[in-house]
Amino acid sequence: MVELKNVDVQYKDRGVDALNDVNIRINDGEFVFIVGDSGAGKSTLLRLLTHEILPTRGRVFVNGYNLTKLKKGKVPKFRRSLGMIFQDFRLIPNMTVFENVAFVLRVTDKSKKFIRQRVPYVLNLVRLADKAKAYPSQLSGGERQRVGIARAFATDPGLIIADEPTGNIDPRLSYEIVELLMDINKCGATVIMVTHEHDLVQYFGGRIINLKNGNVVFDDFIGGKGDEME
Ligand code: ADP
C-alpha cells in the first residue's frame, strides 16, 4: 500500500512548492499511471516513494513502512521491497541478460538454486528466454527495457515503480512495454508508472493521477480506447 497524507514538498533553495497538500492512496495490486507536464512534480513524488527525500509536511507510507520515521538501518530492507524501472534502463553492460537479472538476486543472498529457477522464469515472462546469453549492446531498446522489467520483478517486490519506462524506446513498442507491466501487475505487484505519453494512457485507461504545478488535479479511472477498438 502507498499512502501520502497532506504532503508538501518545498525545495528550499528555490522556494517553490514542488508538491502541495497531496493526498494519494494506492492499494496493493493496483496499476496506476501518473501523468503531468514537465515540472508538475512527478519526479518529486517518486523521490518521496523511494525515500530519497522527505516531505516538508505530511506523511508517506510505502509497503507498510512509515517513511517519515524510517530509521537509517531499515532503509536497505525497505528499498528491497521496491522494484525500479528506469527510462535509461540502467543495465550493466558487461553482464549478459541472465547475469543482469541474477545480479539483483545475488546481492540479496538468494541461493544458487533459487537463481537458476527464478531468472529463466522472469525472462520467460518478458519473452526474452532466447536472449539470456546476449549482452545489452546486442539488444534493441524495447528488449533492454524488457530486461529492466524482468530485473525489477525478479525479487518479487510488492511495488514496482516505472519512471518513464517508454521514454527511450520506439513508440510502436511502448504499448508492448505497458502490456508487460500489466502482466507483472497481474502476477501480484502493484505498479506505478510515470509517463508524459498521453496516447499510451488514453489507450490503456485505468487509474490516472494527473499532477499540475504540484497539485493532484485528477485522480480517477478512465476507460481505455484500446478496449473500444477490440
Ligand atoms: P516533473 O518530474 O513532473 O518534471 P519535478 O518533480 O522534477 O517535476 O519538479 C517539480 C518542481 O520542483 C519544478 O518546479 C522543479 O523546478 C522543482 N525542483 C525539482 N527538483 C528540484 C531540486 N532538486 N531543487 C530545486 N527545485 C527542484
Side-chain angles (χ1 to χ4, degrees), residues 33-103:
F33 285 113
I34 296 184
V35 299
D37 296 334
S38 179
K42 305 183 297 297
S43 308
T44 300
L45 177 60
L46 292 194
R47 285 204 281 270
L48 282 172
L49 299 184
T50 56
H51 197 57
E52 278 168 71
I53 58 169
L54 286 171
T56 316
R57 184 182 73 104
R59 287 183 294 164
V60 181
F61 301 89
V62 178
N63 291 347
Y65 293 85
N66 178 349
L67 298 193
T68 20
K69 287 195 173 153
L70 191 65
K71 300 247 167 32
K72 244 191 172 158
K74 292 215 166 140
V75 174
K77 190 155 180 254
F78 161 68
R79 289 255 168 80
R80 286 201 289 274
S81 77
L82 303 177
M84 296 297 298
I85 298 169
F86 307 96
Q87 180 172 2
D88 56 0
F89 320 124
R90 302 201 194 171
L91 304 179
I92 303 168
N94 59 354
M95 284 187 187
T96 63
V97 166
F98 186 100
E99 287 301 323
N100 264 280
V101 178
F103 184 70

Side-chain angles (χ1 to χ4, degrees), residues 136-202:
S137 61
Q138 298 170 310
L139 304 177
S140 71
E143 288 170 339
R144 285 181 207 177
Q145 194 57 296
R146 277 150 62 192
V147 181
I149 293 172
R151 179 185 54 187
F153 189 58
T155 55
D156 202 12
L159 174 65
I160 289 188
I161 296 176
D163 188 4
E164 298 272 5
T166 61
N168 271 328
I169 59 179
D170 185 329
R172 284 182 305 120
L173 298 176
S174 297
Y175 293 83
E176 187 184 294
I177 293 297
V178 179
E179 274 160 8
L180 285 175
L181 286 171
M182 288 183 164
D183 290 347
I184 298 291
N185 173 245
K186 287 195 195 98
C187 291
T190 308
V191 175
I192 298 178
M193 170 170 162
V194 167
T195 182
H196 62 260
E197 291 184 59
H198 293 286
D199 290 354
L200 267 187
V201 173
Q202 300 285 339

